[in-house]
Amino acid sequence: SQTIHQWPATLVQPVGSPLSLECTVEGTSNPNLYWYRQAAGRGLQLLFYSVGIGQISSEVPQNLSASRPQDRQFILSSKKLLLSDSGFYLCAAVGQGTDTQYFGPGTRLTVL
Amino acid sequence: AQKITQTQPGMFVQEKEAVTLDCTYDTSDPSYGLFWYKQPSSGEMIFLIYQGSYDQQNATEGRYSLNFQKARKSANLVISASQLGDSAMYFCAMREGLGSGYALNFGKGTSLLVTP
């Protein structure tokens, strides 16, 4: 079965600083990968998804970007954080031949 | 338009009782999948159960079952014999066809509290 790692677990950053969140997947190859954001007390909003190396699709216009430099690595970045970027960021993966998304433990980001 | 609707912001159930969490969905795609996830206070999203649009039988996984009523577009989660550890947020989600690389649309969630 697949395992999804995310780091860091928590992060406090000042407004205007850069951001890099990392997600790696074990136990499957060529997965579909996703970044979601969850605001406090809300459901999940899809930010980006990737069906392969270097292939990134964005679902909402925003201050963030994503990259997939390796098959099982997905990175969420920002050049300058905004207060509105605060939230809980979850990485998810769907393995080949399956239909179920599994999630990592998440990163809680606070922008001050 | 909201694709997944969870009308119960919060629910209470007594330990060992059964509870039903409601979910309705909206899609015109004949091929879709419905999922339920549990999110405890730690934040991790835990997959519970899946129902495909073409599945004839209601899905079951241990104490979890999905009451799938296709004509009514509802996919309610039933938890039998509730335990204190079931206290958490529960999210219903839908995957439509092949769009968005199988990304999910989530409802706003239902907070479940299991009392002794």
Side-chain angles (χ1 to χ4, degrees):
Chain A
S1 63
Q2 58 189 346
T3 303
I4 301 167
H5 303 279
Q6 286 187 246
W7 62 89
T10 60
L11 192 59
V12 180
Q13 292 285 96
V15 169
S17 63
L19 173 74
S20 181
L21 303 182
E22 190 163 346
C23 169
T24 58
V25 181
E26 294 179 358
T28 186
S29 58
N30 197 25
N32 284 2
L33 298 174
Y34 310 84
W35 279 112
Y36 292 89
R37 177 170 59 202
Q38 184 178 29
R42 305 291 297 274
L44 274 67
Q45 178 188 35
L46 177 67
L47 301 176
F48 301 94
Y49 70 92
S50 172
V51 299
I53 295 174
Q55 301 178 60
I56 308 294
S57 296
S58 173
E59 286 296 298
V60 293
Q62 58 208 316
N63 184 42
L64 303 168
S65 62
S67 61
R68 186 171 177 175
Q70 300 180 47
D71 180 45
R72 290 174 288 177
Q73 184 185 29
F74 205 23
I75 297 172
L76 184 69
S77 304
S78 174
K79 292 182 179 178
K80 289 186 178 182
L81 283 168
L82 306 172
L83 288 173
S84 57
D85 292 324
S86 293
F88 189 54
Y89 289 82
L90 286 154
C91 177
V94 176
Q96 286 300 307
T98 70
D99 204 15
T100 299
Q101 280 193 28
Y102 292 95
F103 285 80
T107 294
R108 200 165 299 279
L109 172 66
T110 304
V111 183
L112 301 174
Chain B
Q2 191 72 22
K3 293 205 176 241
I4 295 286
T5 302
Q6 295 180 253
T7 57
Q8 306 154 314
M11 291 280 287
F12 292 89
V13 65
Q14 203 157 18
E15 201 177 4
K16 300 179 185 176
E17 298 291 313
V19 63
T20 298
L21 306 183
D22 294 342
C23 173
T24 57
Y25 59 92
D26 181 25
T27 182
S28 57
D29 195 323
S31 175
Y32 54 91
L34 297 158
F35 301 79
W36 278 92
Y37 288 85
K38 173 185 178 181
Q39 188 178 40
S41 56
S42 62
E44 187 170 0
M45 295 289 283
I46 302 168
F47 166 71
L48 296 178
I49 196 166
Y50 164 78
Q51 180 87 42
S53 59
Y54 295 118
D55 293 343
Q56 296 296 314
Q57 307 264 9
N58 284 347
T60 60
E61 289 284 351
R63 294 187 298 111
Y64 304 108
S65 61
L66 201 152
N67 184 0
F68 181 45
Q69 297 188 37
K70 196 169 183 177
R72 297 179 60 185
K73 294 189 175 179
S74 75
N76 298 340
L77 176 70
V78 180
I79 305 175
S80 63
S82 297
Q83 302 171 356
L84 295 178
D86 293 334
S87 294
M89 283 291 292
Y90 288 81
F91 291 94
C92 180
M94 177 174 66
R95 182 266 305 153
E96 292 177 282
L98 296 176
S100 295
Y102 290 100
L104 297 176
N105 283 299
F106 282 84
K108 294 184 177 180
T110 295
S111 177
L112 177 66
L113 181 62
V114 182
T115 59

